[in-house]
Amino acid sequence: MSNQELLQQIENKRKELFQIVSEYGLNSSTTLEHSQELDCLLNEYNNSF
């Protein structure tokens, strides 16, 4: 996967996470799961350099 594709996935996951937080709050398991997915994408991007 190219860095550009990865950046797009990161942006999409960030927007998704923002929506989930507004629906379920910061302490929900759904929020935690999506936050961890975003963390994984960010780590993958950072490790690509």
Side-chain angles (χ1 to χ4, degrees):
M1 175 181 325
S2 73
N3 280 347
Q4 189 62 34
E5 291 171 325
L6 195 51
L7 284 172
Q8 186 62 48
Q9 281 190 347
I10 289 169
E11 183 62 19
N12 291 342
K13 186 59 70 175
R14 186 192 66 78
K15 289 177 183 176
E16 188 179 317
L17 180 58
F18 182 78
Q19 181 64 34
I20 287 170
V21 167
S22 68
E23 282 184 44
Y24 299 101
L26 288 173
N27 296 321
S28 78
S29 60
T30 303
T31 300
L32 179 59
E33 181 181 324
H34 282 78
S35 178
Q36 289 171 340
E37 290 172 5
L38 178 57
D39 287 346
C40 288
L41 288 170
L42 290 167
N43 287 336
E44 185 177 339
Y45 180 76
N46 284 332
N47 289 333
S48 70
F49 293 103

